[in-house]
Amino acid sequence: MNIASLRAAAALALVIAASAGAAQGTPAPASQATRSEQRAVSAALPPEGTRDAADAARGFLATRKDPVILAANGRPVWNLDAYAFVTGPAPETVNPSLWRHMTHLKRHGLFEVTRNVWQVRGFDVANMTVIRGATGWIVIDPLTSVEAAKAALELVNATLGARPVSAVIYSHSHGDHFGGARGVVDEAAVKAGRVPVIAPEGFMEEATSENVIAGGAMSRRAAYQFGTGLGPGPAGQMGSGIGMGLSVGTLSLIPPTDTIAATGETRVVDGVALEFQIVSGSEAPAELNVFIQPEKTFLAAEIATCTLHNILTPRGAKVRDARAWAHYLDEAVTRYAPRSDTVISSHCWPVFGRDNATAWLAAQRDNYRWLHDQTVRRMNRGETMAEIAEALESAPPPGNGTEWSTRGYYGTISHNAKAIYQFYLGWYDAVPANLHAYPPDERAVKLVDALGGAGRTLALARGALAAGDYRWSSDLLQNLVFAEPANAEAKALLAESYEQQGYQAESAIWRNQFLSAANDLRRGRAPTAAVQPTDLIAALSTQELLDSAATRFAPERPGPRGITIGIALTDRGESAALEITGQALIGRVGALPASPAVTIKGPRPMLLALLFLKQPVAALEKAGLEVTGDKAALQALIDNLDPMPQGFEIVMP
């Protein structure tokens, strides 16, 4: 899961709320239709006689006495007890399957997996795995933030005896698996060669690039996916499906010193023999699994967890390859499961016992394979993505009657089926009416008028609400809100409709999206800015920075055209150019242009201040930036750039 885009939207309500007392307005109670749906879900759930409760609790050693982890300035970044309210029977406002899932997921502390292998779970959305090496701790996936990782390592040392960190391994290129690196190791020790940092090939490029171009949109959408404006509670946020929530401390990045390129590669790390499986292109574009040979323990990273994952995340990303994902899991079943007494993941709890672990990985494999093959089968006979999603939702995959980990607590059958369709065919369903449809706000006006006006639309929506048909009521009301943004009754009813759908959702992130939408309708959205952590910015290539700036160029504004700007970055020894054509801003790295209209010279932070913070040219000159040539043209270019995204409306036009 990529976290960098989320951090700008993260709200302290998620961290400091320890119970249902964290409110987001006045949530409605569960309706009669929702209560009936929850009872039906409860009656249809698999039998509880599974291994999950025992596996989630097994090996517990200790946890922090103070549940609140603080930043250096005293700001809370994580609360271990934020989900302490999850106990007893499920309330009417939470899907009983999701409630059951959270009773296991909320556990936190240091857990022994097997001899010489431990995990710190519940200190962030991900797990930190610790292996005893000959001289120190080998840390796999040091969480999202420096503060959470530091607290996790302190617990390890206090419980097992203090040792230095002798190696760090990043399983993949998402921020919740590397962001806490500086909390467990000093970069000076890495640069001196004393502590290796191992990652899959392509890690640095993927870790820094995914959110640069689309960071503004991802940041806003991620706030809905993870419910960052909601407080945990029976009528609020219920975790993320693969973990509780996300720590909101400092994200860091220490570049790897060694990379793994192929499955079967081995390393002896601080005396421990490790074998790696490359699974890039599945859950992350750069990802590896780890077989800890002496302890017969297989880390499946994030290709297998306690839930169905996302083929396409609601926050937005490139669609993942479900077929490749299933193949990687099959390779894990045939190559690593026969040698593994335990399978662990970078989220959730372990699976103990060779037979159990093999069956668990096979069930995950079959789930993704079923999703892929049945989507493609239906796609090839002409069904659209919506039709396929509806059909597959009513035909549960193999094992869903007995295997809890194939259920959709994070990803869902519906969303994933549409993603697989998109992977092959894109968004267009081949119906010409959809080829050039009206945009949402214009279509909404026409639709409401066709239905007989706002009064008639409200009446239809009230009828759907009363009947418990929340899908139809929200469709009607969302169109009415787009047609008449000031219609208070429509907004209130739409919030109610979204709220009930959130209560019923088995997926934690579907719940978050529905409840976040209701929250925005009732209270309005809080502005957010897409801010990238310092280490990620430093690791970005200059080409990526120039390309990102180009996505904010507004050609409809007056300004210079047909000119080139030279850029000399004194701290990196790089030369670059920006060419302003008639309609685009083109960035090139490699050499100064032959005849630039203007040239700037200085360290890269000056370029960032100019292109991203839109600092005036004159002010940066006073700060040391050298500018020669047409300064007015340079300032005009800066004026042509949109400011950094501050968020946008989702449920309002």
Side-chain angles (χ1 to χ4, degrees):
M1 176 182 58
N2 198 311
I3 304 299
S5 65
L6 172 61
R7 303 185 61 76
L12 286 181
L14 178 62
V15 179
I16 62 177
S19 71
Q24 55 277 347
T26 304
S31 66
Q32 179 58 50
T34 293
R35 293 196 297 272
S36 296
E37 177 66 17
Q38 310 293 45
R39 288 193 293 270
V41 168
S42 182
L45 288 176
E48 185 53 53
T50 67
R51 61 181 179 269
D52 288 346
D55 284 355
R58 179 169 168 173
F60 174 75
L61 298 176
T63 193
R64 274 174 60 99
K65 292 181 180 178
D66 182 355
V68 180
I69 299 172
L70 303 175
N73 63 3
R75 178 176 62 89
V77 301
W78 186 246
N79 183 359
L80 294 166
D81 286 343
Y83 301 88
F85 66 88
V86 182
T87 184
E92 296 174 335
T93 52
V94 181
N95 181 291
S97 179
L98 177 59
W99 183 265
R100 179 255 185 206
H101 187 65
M102 279 300 297
T103 63
H104 305 318
L105 208 54
K106 72 171 186 175
R107 294 181 179 275
H108 55 83
L110 176 65
F111 296 80
E112 182 179 35
V113 174
T114 187
R115 185 191 63 170
N116 295 325
V117 181
W118 298 263
Q119 285 191 312
V120 180
R121 302 201 290 271
F123 275 50
D124 209 324
V125 72
N127 301 333
M128 187 170 86
T129 300
V130 178
I131 306 168
R132 187 194 301 274
T135 65
W137 302 123
I138 302 166
V139 172
I140 305 178
D141 290 348
L143 308 183
T144 311
S145 70
V146 170
E147 294 84 356
K150 183 174 181 289
L153 184 61
E154 286 172 350
L155 177 63
V156 170
N157 283 328
T159 308
L160 303 177
R163 309 178 98 222
V165 169
S166 55
V168 174
I169 300 174
Y170 303 141
S171 70
H172 60 287
S173 53
H174 291 162
D176 51 326
H177 302 271
F178 65 76
R182 294 186 188 276
V184 299
V185 67
D186 185 348
E187 188 175 19
V190 175
K191 289 182 175 179
R194 296 193 300 273
V195 179
V197 177
I198 301 171
E201 186 177 59
F203 171 86
M204 281 301 291
E205 177 184 353
E206 301 298 344
T208 59
S209 68
E210 181 172 342
N211 293 301
V212 175
I213 300 299
M218 282 191 188
S219 173
R220 178 68 177 117
R221 291 166 59 125
Y224 266 45
Q225 175 172 324
F226 292 99
T228 55
L230 308 171
Q237 204 253 22
M238 283 293 297
S240 64
I242 54 173
M244 291 190 280
L246 178 76
S247 69
V248 291
T250 307
L251 188 142
S252 65
L253 174 59
I254 297 176
T257 60
D258 185 15
T259 57
I260 306 299
T263 293
E265 283 193 37
T266 60
R267 298 288 189 276
V268 176
V269 181
D270 193 18
V272 180
L274 304 176
E275 181 180 336
F276 299 93
Q277 180 194 18
I278 289 294
V279 294
S280 299
S282 57
E283 189 273 337
E287 185 158 356
L288 57 74
N289 294 334
V290 186
F291 178 55
I292 308 165
Q293 295 186 40
E295 311 308 333
K296 299 178 181 178
T297 298
F298 180 63
L299 170 70
E302 207 163 333
I303 69 164
T305 65
C306 57
T307 173
L308 175 64
H309 213 290
N310 284 302
I311 302 302
L312 174 61
T313 64
R315 66 175 170 83
K318 296 176 183 177
V319 183
R320 296 154 182 175
D321 189 338
R323 184 169 68 98
W325 198 323
H327 277 301
Y328 288 137
L329 279 165
D330 189 55
E331 184 177 55
V333 168
T334 58
R335 180 168 183 157
Y336 295 104
R339 296 186 276 162
S340 301
D341 292 334
T342 308
V343 174
I344 57 178
S345 302
S346 295
H347 295 277
C348 308
W349 52 89
V351 177
F352 295 94
R354 188 165 298 185
D355 291 343
N356 287 338
T358 301
W360 182 75
L361 287 170
Q364 300 262 329
R365 173 202 61 199
D366 292 353
N367 208 20
Y368 292 102
R369 190 77 221 196
W370 174 84
L371 260 170
H372 174 273
D373 294 351
Q374 296 312 305
T375 297
V376 172
R377 181 172 72 92
R378 290 175 175 273
M379 178 185 80
N380 281 331
R381 43 185 222 201
E383 295 181 34
T384 65
M385 64 169 70
E387 291 168 334
I388 295 169
E390 200 76 7
L392 295 191
E393 274 193 301
S394 63
N400 216 14
T402 56
E403 178 53 59
W404 291 88
S405 69
T406 62
R407 302 185 73 88
Y409 301 113
Y410 189 50
T412 65
I413 290 173
S414 174
H415 202 83
N416 284 341
K418 293 173 183 176
I420 294 165
Y421 183 101
Q422 180 180 327
F423 181 85
Y424 287 104
L425 297 182
W427 65 269
Y428 178 48
D429 60 5
V431 177
N434 297 326
L435 190 60
H436 193 213
Y438 283 109
D441 53 349
E442 193 170 347
R443 179 180 181 274
V445 171
K446 292 178 179 293
L447 180 62
V448 169
D449 182 62
L451 288 170
R456 172 64 176 159
T457 305
L458 278 171
L460 291 169
R462 286 194 209 97
L465 279 168
D469 189 352
Y470 301 119
R471 293 171 72 182
W472 179 230
S473 66
S474 61
D475 194 349
L476 289 167
L477 290 164
Q478 187 65 72
N479 278 289
L480 180 53
V481 167
F482 266 57
E484 298 185 1
N487 192 319
E489 184 177 3
K491 290 165 65 176
L493 289 175
L494 181 56
E496 180 182 336
S497 178
Y498 280 151
E499 204 158 45
Q500 297 302 321
Q501 291 176 81
Y503 293 163
Q504 293 180 24
E506 183 178 48
S507 166
I509 61 175
W510 274 39
R511 176 187 177 92
N512 291 339
Q513 289 168 99
F514 282 123
L515 297 186
S516 293
N519 196 30
D520 277 4
L521 287 162
R522 288 198 175 110
R523 301 176 64 188
R525 70 171 181 88
T528 58
V531 178
Q532 293 288 349
T534 303
D535 276 1
L536 291 187
I537 289 291
L540 285 172
S541 72
T542 300
Q543 184 65 63
E544 287 173 322
L545 290 177
L546 297 180
D547 288 348
S548 179
T551 65
R552 294 185 291 109
F553 177 67
E556 71 275 9
R557 296 181 191 143
R561 298 294 185 270
I563 68 169
T564 304
I565 297 169
I567 303 168
L569 301 180
T570 54
D571 57 337
R572 299 168 69 99
E574 286 183 325
S575 296
L578 281 171
E579 180 183 352
I580 310 171
T581 68
Q583 294 294 319
L585 182 63
I586 309 298
R588 302 185 188 93
V589 175
L592 287 170
S595 302
V598 60
T599 300
I600 62 175
K601 184 178 181 180
R604 198 167 79 150
M606 290 281 189
L607 179 66
L608 295 173
L610 189 69
L611 297 180
F612 292 86
L613 300 181
K614 291 172 61 74
Q615 293 291 313
V617 174
L620 289 174
E621 280 189 287
K622 291 180 180 179
L625 183 68
E626 297 180 32
V627 184
T628 56
D630 191 346
K631 298 179 184 179
L634 178 61
Q635 184 60 58
L637 167 62
I638 303 310
D639 294 340
N640 267 200
L641 298 179
D642 284 346
M644 293 295 289
Q646 299 295 312
F648 47 80
E649 296 287 358
I650 292 178
V651 288
M652 296 292 293

